[in-house]
Amino acid sequence: MIAPADSFGSWTHDNYLGHKDTSWRRPVEVKKPITYEPGRTPVESHDDFYEHEDLRPSFPNLHWDPLTEVPYHDKGIHGDPHFRNLLASATDVVDYNPKLGTEIHGVNLARLTDAQKNDLARLISVRGVVFFRGQTDFDIDAQRHLGAHFGKLHRHATTSVPRRAGLEDVHVVFTDGTAKDQRAVFSPTFLWHSDVTYEVQPPSYTSLKVLSGPPRGGGGDTLWSSQYGAYDLLSKPMQRYLEGLSALHSAHMQADGSRAAGRPVRRDPIVTEHPLVRTHPVTGWKSLFFNPGFVTGIVGIPKSESNAIIGYLNEIISTTQEIHVRYQWQKNDVAFWDNRICNHSASYGFTGHRRHAVRVASQAERPIFDPAGKSQEEEISARFGLAKVDKDGTRQSNYND
C-alpha cells in the first residue's frame, strides 16, 4: 500500500524507488563576512610561545682571522641543462619575467638528491633567483647542509647570528614590530646591494628563509635586480669601456656602523678590487658586477668620472623595471639567488609586524672577466628568433602604455 502524499510531503522519483528526499536536512553553508581594513593586516602575537627562539639574533664578541682563498668548483656546471632532475617532482614552474625570477611548486628542498642540487645551482645561475613556498621541512640544519653542497659557508663579520651555538655561518634578519626602519638613513638606490662583495671570494648561491613575518600584503617584500640585464642595457661602447675597469668594494662603512652601535666586528674590514664586469662560470654570460652598497670608487679614472659612472649604474640597477622581480613573502618561503649576478633590496612599511629570517651563503670564485663571455640577451634572442634590441636613443618614438 502506498502512503498518502501528505504523510511524507511532496513525492519525487526517488520516493518511488524506495528513497526519501532528505536534501532539506543538509546544513546551509553560511558565508563568513570578509574583514578588511585598507592598508592594515592582522599582527601575529609572539607573547606566549615562539618556536624559533634559538634563531633569534645575537652578537657574540668573537674575533676571526682574515678569510683566505679556498678552492671553488661550481656545482651548477654538473646540472642538467633542462633541469630534469630538479623538476621531476615539480607540480608547477613559472617565470616572473623573461630576465629574472622563477617560482617552483612541489619540490621539497630538504629532500633533494645531489643531482637535484646541481640542477638547482644551474637554474639559479640562469634565472638569478628561484622561489619555493611553504618549505616547512627545510629547517636551519637542512638549509646549512644544502648551502655547504655549493661551497664553503660564509661567516659575516658584523651582522647577527643565531642564539644557538655553532651557527656562526648563519646570518639572522630580525626586526621587531616596534623597531625603526632604515628608510631615513639611506638613499633608495644605496639599499640595493649584493652581499659582502668586499670579500676576495664573494658569495654565489644564497638562501633566505622567512620564519615569521607580515602576512600577505603586510609589507617587507624583497626585490632583486639582474646584473645580466643591467649589462645588456648598456651600449656596446659602454660595455667595452666598463670591461676594462675595476671597482673598489669596501667593508669599512659596515664595520664602522657596527662599532657605532656598540656591536663587535668579528673580522677586520677590508677593501677589495674586483672587475666591473664579470663572466659567470656556468652560463658564460657577462654581467655587471657593481654594488651600490659597497662600491666606493672606480680605479684608474678621475673622481668626477667615477662618480658619474657610479650614479649612472645606480640608476640602471634601481629603476629599470624589466630587470626586476618583487617577492611577497609568506611564512616558510625560501628564496635562492646568485649574488654574483643579482643585486637585491629590502622594502619596509611593515611596522607592527615581526620579520624574522635566516640566510646562508656559499663562497664562490674570485670574480674574473673573460672577454669570450656572451650576452644573455643576445644568446636568448638568437635562440628564440627575437628581434635585436635597438639601443639608439636618438630615434623617434611615441611611448604609450
Side-chain angles (χ1 to χ4, degrees):
M1 177 178 177
I2 299 176
D6 58 5
S7 299
F8 299 102
S10 59
W11 285 95
T12 67
H13 176 66
D14 284 343
N15 293 124
Y16 286 106
L17 295 177
H19 302 288
K20 186 167 64 175
D21 182 9
T22 59
S23 61
W24 59 274
R25 296 180 182 173
R26 296 171 191 156
V28 177
E29 185 178 349
V30 179
K31 186 177 183 299
K32 295 181 179 179
I34 293 176
T35 302
Y36 171 63
E37 186 68 32
R40 195 68 201 147
T41 53
V43 175
E44 181 180 4
S45 172
H46 303 283
D47 294 338
D48 297 331
F49 171 75
Y50 185 51
E51 60 182 320
H52 302 297
E53 283 292 333
D54 61 329
L55 300 180
R56 283 169 64 102
S58 67
F59 294 89
N61 190 11
L62 304 171
H63 190 272
W64 300 326
D65 292 332
L67 291 177
T68 57
E69 199 161 350
V70 295
Y72 177 76
H73 180 74
D74 201 310
K75 295 298 179 69
I77 294 171
H78 305 295
D80 178 70
H82 302 288
F83 321 109
R84 284 170 287 206
N85 303 297
L86 178 65
L87 300 181
S89 58
T91 57
D92 191 27
V93 183
V94 59
D95 286 346
Y96 277 36
N97 68 53
K99 296 286 187 183
L100 180 70
T102 298
E103 184 171 321
I104 299 180
H105 295 197
V107 171
N108 188 332
L109 291 175
R111 291 178 168 81
L112 297 182
T113 65
D114 284 353
Q116 288 177 311
K117 294 173 185 177
N118 295 342
D119 278 10
L120 174 58
R122 191 176 190 95
L123 180 61
I124 299 166
S125 298
V126 172
R127 295 296 303 159
V129 57
V130 182
F131 305 107
F132 300 86
R133 294 196 179 274
Q135 297 290 313
T136 53
D137 294 341
F138 194 59
D139 61 16
I140 190 59
D141 300 308
Q143 190 175 354
R144 292 177 69 241
H145 183 72
L146 181 52
H149 178 81
F150 299 131
K152 182 180 178 181
L153 299 186
H154 177 264
R155 296 189 301 173
H156 203 291
T158 62
T159 57
S160 58
V161 300
R163 290 178 175 179
R164 192 208 304 179
L167 300 181
E168 289 78 19
D169 48 22
V170 176
H171 163 57
V172 178
V173 176
F174 187 90
T175 305
D176 200 290
T178 61
K180 296 179 180 178
D181 67 40
Q182 304 293 306
R183 283 176 291 184
V185 184
F186 304 109
S187 67
T189 57
F190 180 86
L191 289 171
W192 284 96
H193 67 284
S194 176
D195 294 330
V196 297
T197 56
Y198 47 74
E199 303 290 20
V200 174
Q201 292 176 267
S204 54
Y205 308 114
T206 301
S207 62
L208 183 72
K209 179 179 179 179
V210 166
L211 306 174
S212 60
R216 187 175 60 180
D221 302 348
T222 303
L223 296 88
W224 282 264
S225 177
S226 170
Q227 297 217 64
Y228 287 146
Y231 172 83
D232 283 333
L233 286 167
L234 306 172
S235 67
K236 288 290 186 184
M238 180 59 79
Q239 288 174 347
R240 288 193 292 268
Y241 172 57
L242 296 185
E243 286 170 1
L245 297 175
S246 59
L248 298 178
H249 298 243
S250 175
H252 282 277
M253 184 169 59
Q254 198 170 65
D256 292 344
S258 290
R259 291 192 181 104
R263 294 170 178 168
V265 175
R266 297 183 288 270
R267 192 165 47 241
D268 293 338
I270 60 174
V271 177
T272 307
E273 183 176 336
H274 291 309
L276 200 49
V277 176
R278 71 185 295 175
T279 309
H280 199 286
V282 176
T283 64
W285 292 335
K286 296 177 182 178
S287 73
L288 201 61
F289 191 59
F290 176 80
N291 189 335
F294 295 120
V295 169
T296 57
I298 298 174
V299 179
I301 62 175
K303 178 71 171 174
S304 58
E305 190 173 332
S306 173
N307 289 347
I309 293 171
I310 288 173
Y312 172 53
L313 298 181
N314 280 346
E315 181 179 4
I316 284 180
I317 288 167
S318 62
T319 67
T320 309
Q321 294 87 349
E322 62 265 29
I323 65 171
H324 288 178
V325 295
R326 181 178 186 126
Y327 189 69
Q328 192 176 66
W329 294 97
Q330 298 180 57
K331 188 181 295 186
N332 292 318
D333 287 356
V334 175
F336 243 115
W337 72 94
D338 191 336
N339 268 291
R340 295 170 293 186
I341 53 170
C342 287
N343 278 291
H344 59 278
S345 179
S347 67
Y348 294 97
F350 56 92
T351 301
H353 296 282
R354 172 180 293 182
R355 188 172 183 271
H356 187 190
V358 282
R359 189 189 75 198
V360 172
S362 308
Q363 289 179 231
E365 77 280 2
R366 180 191 285 266
I368 61 166
F369 169 68
D370 182 356
K374 300 162 288 184
S375 154
Q376 179 198 45
E377 185 170 79
E378 290 178 1
E379 184 172 283
I380 290 178
S381 294
R383 185 186 308 166
F384 297 110
L386 305 177
K388 186 177 180 181
V389 175
D390 187 346
K391 297 180 181 178
D392 180 5
T394 64
R395 58 193 170 87
Q396 181 62 43
S397 177
N398 180 24
Y399 179 75
N400 184 16
D401 194 351

